[in-house]
mmCIF file of all heavy atoms in Angstrom:
data_model
loop_
_atom_site.group_PDB
_atom_site.id
_atom_site.type_symbol
_atom_site.label_atom_id
_atom_site.label_comp_id
_atom_site.label_asym_id
_atom_site.label_seq_id
_atom_site.Cartn_x
_atom_site.Cartn_y
_atom_site.Cartn_z
ATOM 1 N N ASN A 333 144.792 82.554 31.789
ATOM 2 C CA ASN A 333 144.946 83.081 33.143
ATOM 3 C C ASN A 333 143.888 82.463 34.047
ATOM 4 O O ASN A 333 143.018 81.700 33.574
ATOM 5 C CB ASN A 333 144.855 84.613 33.150
ATOM 6 C CG ASN A 333 143.565 85.115 32.545
ATOM 7 O OD1 ASN A 333 142.485 84.835 33.057
ATOM 8 N ND2 ASN A 333 143.665 85.846 31.448
ATOM 9 N N ALA A 334 143.954 82.776 35.306
ATOM 10 C CA ALA A 334 143.089 82.122 36.292
ATOM 11 C C ALA A 334 141.624 82.479 36.157
ATOM 12 O O ALA A 334 140.772 81.847 36.772
ATOM 13 C CB ALA A 334 143.579 82.481 37.705
ATOM 14 N N SER A 335 141.311 83.469 35.361
ATOM 15 C CA SER A 335 139.919 83.913 35.303
ATOM 16 C C SER A 335 139.281 83.706 33.935
ATOM 17 O O SER A 335 138.196 84.222 33.666
ATOM 18 C CB SER A 335 139.827 85.392 35.690
ATOM 19 O OG SER A 335 140.615 86.177 34.820
ATOM 20 N N PHE A 336 139.931 82.928 33.068
ATOM 21 C CA PHE A 336 139.374 82.795 31.726
ATOM 22 C C PHE A 336 139.855 81.513 31.056
ATOM 23 O O PHE A 336 141.033 81.156 31.137
ATOM 24 C CB PHE A 336 139.792 84.005 30.882
ATOM 25 C CG PHE A 336 139.203 84.037 29.503
ATOM 26 C CD1 PHE A 336 137.837 84.173 29.315
ATOM 27 C CD2 PHE A 336 140.012 83.931 28.378
ATOM 28 C CE1 PHE A 336 137.282 84.210 28.049
ATOM 29 C CE2 PHE A 336 139.472 83.962 27.105
ATOM 30 C CZ PHE A 336 138.114 84.116 26.931
ATOM 31 N N SER A 337 138.903 80.842 30.388
ATOM 32 C CA SER A 337 139.257 79.656 29.610
ATOM 33 C C SER A 337 138.403 79.619 28.365
ATOM 34 O O SER A 337 137.278 80.133 28.343
ATOM 35 C CB SER A 337 139.037 78.394 30.438
ATOM 36 O OG SER A 337 139.299 77.227 29.669
ATOM 37 N N THR A 338 138.947 79.025 27.320
ATOM 38 C CA THR A 338 138.194 78.851 26.076
ATOM 39 C C THR A 338 138.249 77.400 25.627
ATOM 40 O O THR A 338 139.226 76.693 25.877
ATOM 41 C CB THR A 338 138.747 79.732 24.952
ATOM 42 O OG1 THR A 338 140.116 79.387 24.717
ATOM 43 C CG2 THR A 338 138.627 81.207 25.271
ATOM 44 N N LEU A 339 137.190 76.995 24.972
ATOM 45 C CA LEU A 339 137.128 75.704 24.298
ATOM 46 C C LEU A 339 136.794 76.002 22.839
ATOM 47 O O LEU A 339 135.772 76.630 22.554
ATOM 48 C CB LEU A 339 136.053 74.814 24.917
ATOM 49 C CG LEU A 339 135.841 73.439 24.266
ATOM 50 C CD1 LEU A 339 137.067 72.555 24.462
ATOM 51 C CD2 LEU A 339 134.601 72.739 24.843
ATOM 52 N N LYS A 340 137.667 75.568 21.955
ATOM 53 C CA LYS A 340 137.510 75.888 20.546
ATOM 54 C C LYS A 340 137.295 74.613 19.739
ATOM 55 O O LYS A 340 137.954 73.583 19.980
ATOM 56 C CB LYS A 340 138.736 76.636 20.044
ATOM 57 C CG LYS A 340 138.625 77.163 18.631
ATOM 58 C CD LYS A 340 139.854 77.974 18.240
ATOM 59 C CE LYS A 340 139.938 79.248 19.035
ATOM 60 N NZ LYS A 340 141.044 80.135 18.573
ATOM 61 N N ILE A 341 136.398 74.697 18.796
ATOM 62 C CA ILE A 341 136.149 73.587 17.876
ATOM 63 C C ILE A 341 136.351 74.126 16.461
ATOM 64 O O ILE A 341 135.703 75.072 16.039
ATOM 65 C CB ILE A 341 134.710 73.030 18.002
ATOM 66 C CG1 ILE A 341 134.382 72.700 19.459
ATOM 67 C CG2 ILE A 341 134.559 71.772 17.145
ATOM 68 C CD1 ILE A 341 132.924 72.311 19.692
ATOM 69 N N GLN A 342 137.276 73.535 15.756
ATOM 70 C CA GLN A 342 137.597 73.993 14.413
ATOM 71 C C GLN A 342 138.120 72.837 13.565
ATOM 72 O O GLN A 342 139.170 72.290 13.880
ATOM 73 C CB GLN A 342 138.642 75.114 14.474
ATOM 74 C CG GLN A 342 139.341 75.458 13.168
ATOM 75 C CD GLN A 342 138.414 76.037 12.113
ATOM 76 O OE1 GLN A 342 137.308 76.454 12.432
ATOM 77 N NE2 GLN A 342 138.852 76.049 10.870
ATOM 78 N N PRO A 343 137.412 72.458 12.503
ATOM 79 C CA PRO A 343 136.087 72.915 12.105
ATOM 80 C C PRO A 343 134.991 72.166 12.840
ATOM 81 O O PRO A 343 135.180 71.019 13.243
ATOM 82 C CB PRO A 343 136.058 72.549 10.611
ATOM 83 C CG PRO A 343 136.903 71.311 10.537
ATOM 84 C CD PRO A 343 137.977 71.471 11.577
ATOM 85 N N SER A 344 133.869 72.790 13.026
ATOM 86 C CA SER A 344 132.771 72.148 13.740
ATOM 87 C C SER A 344 132.021 71.184 12.827
ATOM 88 O O SER A 344 132.011 71.341 11.586
ATOM 89 C CB SER A 344 131.806 73.205 14.300
ATOM 90 O OG SER A 344 131.286 74.007 13.252
ATOM 91 N N GLU A 345 131.403 70.167 13.443
ATOM 92 C CA GLU A 345 130.625 69.166 12.721
ATOM 93 C C GLU A 345 129.290 68.983 13.433
ATOM 94 O O GLU A 345 129.188 69.244 14.644
ATOM 95 C CB GLU A 345 131.378 67.839 12.668
ATOM 96 C CG GLU A 345 132.684 67.903 11.895
ATOM 97 C CD GLU A 345 133.388 66.555 11.817
ATOM 98 O OE1 GLU A 345 132.822 65.555 12.310
ATOM 99 O OE2 GLU A 345 134.500 66.512 11.245
ATOM 100 N N PRO A 346 128.264 68.505 12.731
ATOM 101 C CA PRO A 346 126.948 68.326 13.363
ATOM 102 C C PRO A 346 126.999 67.454 14.618
ATOM 103 O O PRO A 346 126.261 67.692 15.570
ATOM 104 C CB PRO A 346 126.114 67.677 12.252
ATOM 105 C CG PRO A 346 126.711 68.215 10.993
ATOM 106 C CD PRO A 346 128.195 68.307 11.266
ATOM 107 N N ARG A 347 127.885 66.472 14.640
ATOM 108 C CA ARG A 347 127.956 65.590 15.822
ATOM 109 C C ARG A 347 128.526 66.297 17.049
ATOM 110 O O ARG A 347 128.543 65.714 18.146
ATOM 111 C CB ARG A 347 128.782 64.353 15.520
ATOM 112 C CG ARG A 347 130.220 64.630 15.113
ATOM 113 C CD ARG A 347 130.859 63.362 14.556
ATOM 114 N NE ARG A 347 132.133 63.650 13.883
ATOM 115 C CZ ARG A 347 133.272 63.068 14.197
ATOM 116 N NH1 ARG A 347 133.317 62.175 15.160
ATOM 117 N NH2 ARG A 347 134.392 63.358 13.540
ATOM 118 N N ASP A 348 129.015 67.509 16.878
ATOM 119 C CA ASP A 348 129.491 68.285 18.023
ATOM 120 C C ASP A 348 128.345 68.974 18.761
ATOM 121 O O ASP A 348 128.562 69.575 19.821
ATOM 122 C CB ASP A 348 130.490 69.354 17.564
ATOM 123 C CG ASP A 348 131.692 68.769 16.851
ATOM 124 O OD1 ASP A 348 132.071 67.618 17.179
ATOM 125 O OD2 ASP A 348 132.246 69.440 15.969
ATOM 126 N N SER A 349 127.177 68.905 18.202
ATOM 127 C CA SER A 349 126.011 69.531 18.842
ATOM 128 C C SER A 349 125.793 68.913 20.218
ATOM 129 O O SER A 349 125.698 67.691 20.359
ATOM 130 C CB SER A 349 124.766 69.349 17.976
ATOM 131 O OG SER A 349 124.915 69.980 16.719
ATOM 132 N N ALA A 350 125.738 69.766 21.225
ATOM 133 C CA ALA A 350 125.650 69.302 22.618
ATOM 134 C C ALA A 350 125.535 70.521 23.520
ATOM 135 O O ALA A 350 125.603 71.665 23.057
ATOM 136 C CB ALA A 350 126.902 68.506 22.996
ATOM 137 N N VAL A 351 125.393 70.261 24.802
ATOM 138 C CA VAL A 351 125.531 71.326 25.796
ATOM 139 C C VAL A 351 126.918 71.189 26.412
ATOM 140 O O VAL A 351 127.297 70.107 26.866
ATOM 141 C CB VAL A 351 124.457 71.243 26.892
ATOM 142 C CG1 VAL A 351 124.660 72.363 27.910
ATOM 143 C CG2 VAL A 351 123.062 71.323 26.287
ATOM 144 N N TYR A 352 127.657 72.270 26.391
ATOM 145 C CA TYR A 352 129.010 72.283 26.932
ATOM 146 C C TYR A 352 128.998 73.039 28.263
ATOM 147 O O TYR A 352 128.589 74.194 28.325
ATOM 148 C CB TYR A 352 129.974 72.938 25.948
ATOM 149 C CG TYR A 352 130.190 72.092 24.714
ATOM 150 C CD1 TYR A 352 129.277 72.106 23.670
ATOM 151 C CD2 TYR A 352 131.295 71.258 24.612
ATOM 152 C CE1 TYR A 352 129.446 71.304 22.543
ATOM 153 C CE2 TYR A 352 131.487 70.454 23.482
ATOM 154 C CZ TYR A 352 130.555 70.487 22.465
ATOM 155 O OH TYR A 352 130.734 69.693 21.360
ATOM 156 N N PHE A 353 129.438 72.352 29.303
ATOM 157 C CA PHE A 353 129.489 72.952 30.633
ATOM 158 C C PHE A 353 130.932 73.215 31.035
ATOM 159 O O PHE A 353 131.831 72.412 30.773
ATOM 160 C CB PHE A 353 128.872 72.020 31.686
ATOM 161 C CG PHE A 353 127.387 71.879 31.600
ATOM 162 C CD1 PHE A 353 126.813 70.712 31.114
ATOM 163 C CD2 PHE A 353 126.553 72.893 32.037
ATOM 164 C CE1 PHE A 353 125.435 70.572 31.046
ATOM 165 C CE2 PHE A 353 125.176 72.763 31.983
ATOM 166 C CZ PHE A 353 124.618 71.599 31.482
ATOM 167 N N CYS A 354 131.110 74.315 31.691
ATOM 168 C CA CYS A 354 132.355 74.623 32.373
ATOM 169 C C CYS A 354 132.071 74.536 33.864
ATOM 170 O O CYS A 354 130.976 74.913 34.324
ATOM 171 C CB CYS A 354 132.816 76.022 31.983
ATOM 172 S SG CYS A 354 134.259 76.625 32.849
ATOM 173 N N ALA A 355 133.015 74.017 34.624
ATOM 174 C CA ALA A 355 132.854 73.939 36.069
ATOM 175 C C ALA A 355 134.170 74.309 36.726
ATOM 176 O O ALA A 355 135.244 74.145 36.132
ATOM 177 C CB ALA A 355 132.429 72.537 36.498
ATOM 178 N N SER A 356 134.090 74.829 37.943
ATOM 179 C CA SER A 356 135.320 75.122 38.678
ATOM 180 C C SER A 356 135.201 74.620 40.105
ATOM 181 O O SER A 356 134.093 74.424 40.617
ATOM 182 C CB SER A 356 135.639 76.621 38.640
ATOM 183 O OG SER A 356 134.719 77.380 39.407
ATOM 184 N N SER A 357 136.342 74.386 40.708
ATOM 185 C CA SER A 357 136.360 73.954 42.100
ATOM 186 C C SER A 357 137.644 74.441 42.751
ATOM 187 O O SER A 357 138.580 74.875 42.080
ATOM 188 C CB SER A 357 136.244 72.429 42.211
ATOM 189 O OG SER A 357 137.418 71.796 41.746
ATOM 190 N N SER A 358 137.646 74.326 44.068
ATOM 191 C CA SER A 358 138.799 74.799 44.829
ATOM 192 C C SER A 358 139.248 73.730 45.797
ATOM 193 O O SER A 358 138.429 73.164 46.520
ATOM 194 C CB SER A 358 138.419 76.069 45.603
ATOM 195 O OG SER A 358 139.443 76.413 46.517
#
Side-chain angles (χ1 to χ4, degrees):
Chain A
N333 56 63
S335 59
F336 184 65
S337 176
T338 60
L339 178 66
K340 187 176 293 186
I341 308 173
Q342 165 65 16
S344 59
E345 296 182 4
R347 60 192 167 125
D348 301 330
S349 298
V351 179
Y352 291 81
F353 289 107
C354 175
S356 70
S357 70
S358 170

